[in-house]
Amino acid sequence: GAVVSQHPSRVICKSGTSVKIECRSLDFQATTMFWYRQFPKQSLMLMATSNEGSKATYEQGVEKDKFLINHASLTLSTLTVTSAHPEDSSFYICSAIGPVGYTAEAFFGQGTRLTVV
Amino acid sequence: KNQVEQSPQSLIILEGKNCTLQCNYTVSPFSNLRWYKQDTGRGPVSLTIMTFSENTKSNGRYTATLDADTKQSSLHITASQLSDSASYICVVSAGSTNAGKSTFGDGTTLTVKP
């Protein structure tokens, strides 16, 4: 099946620094990628939707200047948490879907555990 | 408003037993319904995906059913194993082609005990 690779799986950073998380589709062209945040014992919360070559669409309440999303190619999207604070500590997950005609399935990355100290 | 409700919230069963998880939804227009298994600290892994015309789909010991009339789905796990302990998430997509416009259920946390 299709594979989505997310990197890094864990990251610890100091408060005030920025962290970049990568999401790659390894064997298909991901026309759309999604970024989620998940708190312990809660379901995934959609943060933003990104289409290759265009600006990301952010969900209500998500600060676009804090969570920078770049989808520069059909196989790579990045999420940068800028000026991270301890409250940004969370589990971040990406998913990707292929072009029209490809399976309707959405494939998830392994997730990234971000800890801001 | 599109909603997906899962029950029970949590479930504890003994190894070897069967169990059934429920998912009710109000998503419209319906595109597909997916069940995912999420281990703690990991991303969700797909178990099944069903479209409107499918009413059952199996993946090993996992069997999902879909009743599009009543907007209900179930995930049946047969002969449970300790490794089945995880969160099971029901996701319903709306629209015609965008599988990502999805509504997530809160999940059912399954614990399988020896």
Side-chain angles (χ1 to χ4, degrees):
Chain A
V3 177
V4 173
S5 176
Q6 195 172 332
H7 178 80
S9 58
R10 290 179 179 272
V11 58
I12 301 174
C13 70
K14 292 184 178 181
S15 186
T17 62
S18 295
V19 174
K20 180 183 285 188
I21 302 169
E22 292 187 348
C23 180
R24 293 181 184 273
S25 58
L26 299 184
D27 52 0
F28 68 102
Q29 293 184 329
T31 52
T32 305
M33 287 187 171
F34 305 86
W35 288 95
Y36 300 87
R37 184 173 182 177
Q38 187 177 34
F39 293 103
K41 300 187 184 298
Q42 294 188 21
S43 190
L44 284 71
M45 180 186 75
L46 180 64
M47 298 174 65
T49 302
S50 74
N51 293 295
E52 185 266 340
S54 62
K55 290 184 178 180
T57 301
Y58 290 82
E59 296 299 302
Q60 190 173 8
V62 178
E63 300 175 59
K64 62 180 180 180
D65 294 330
K66 180 166 186 62
F67 299 99
L68 301 179
I69 292 173
N70 183 281
H71 193 164
S73 78
L74 283 172
T75 59
L76 174 64
S77 176
T78 61
L79 167 67
T80 301
V81 182
T82 62
S83 187
H85 290 114
E87 56 263 32
D88 297 325
S89 298
S90 188
F91 192 56
Y92 293 88
I93 308 173
C94 70
S95 75
I97 59 173
V100 174
Y102 197 69
T103 175
E105 182 62 82
F107 302 95
F108 285 86
Q110 309 96 311
T112 297
R113 171 72 61 193
L114 170 63
T115 303
V116 184
V117 297
Chain B
K1 180 182 178 181
N2 290 338
Q3 289 186 313
V4 175
E5 295 183 356
Q6 291 187 244
S7 62
Q9 185 176 21
S10 61
L11 182 63
I12 300 174
I13 62 173
L14 293 176
E15 186 179 12
K17 296 296 185 181
N18 304 334
C19 67
T20 300
L21 314 180
Q22 299 290 343
C23 174
N24 297 339
Y25 63 92
T26 59
V27 175
S28 181
F30 177 85
S31 174
N32 61 73
L33 184 147
R34 294 166 275 153
W35 283 94
Y36 289 91
K37 177 187 178 185
Q38 185 179 21
D39 293 312
T40 301
R42 306 285 293 175
V45 174
S46 178
L47 296 175
T48 63
I49 177 171
M50 289 184 291
T51 57
F52 185 86
S53 60
E54 298 174 298
N55 53 26
T56 186
K57 184 164 283 188
S58 293
N59 178 2
R61 293 181 296 103
Y62 301 102
T63 299
T65 64
L66 172 65
D67 186 332
D69 292 329
T70 61
K71 298 186 177 181
Q72 296 179 328
S73 175
S74 65
L75 179 69
H76 186 73
I77 304 175
T78 304
S80 61
Q81 300 176 358
L82 298 179
S83 59
D84 291 332
S85 295
S87 178
Y88 291 84
I89 305 171
C90 175
V91 183
V92 184
S93 293
S96 58
T97 59
N98 192 338
K101 287 291 183 183
S102 302
T103 302
F104 285 72
D106 288 336
T108 293
T109 300
L110 174 65
T111 303
V112 181
K113 292 192 171 183

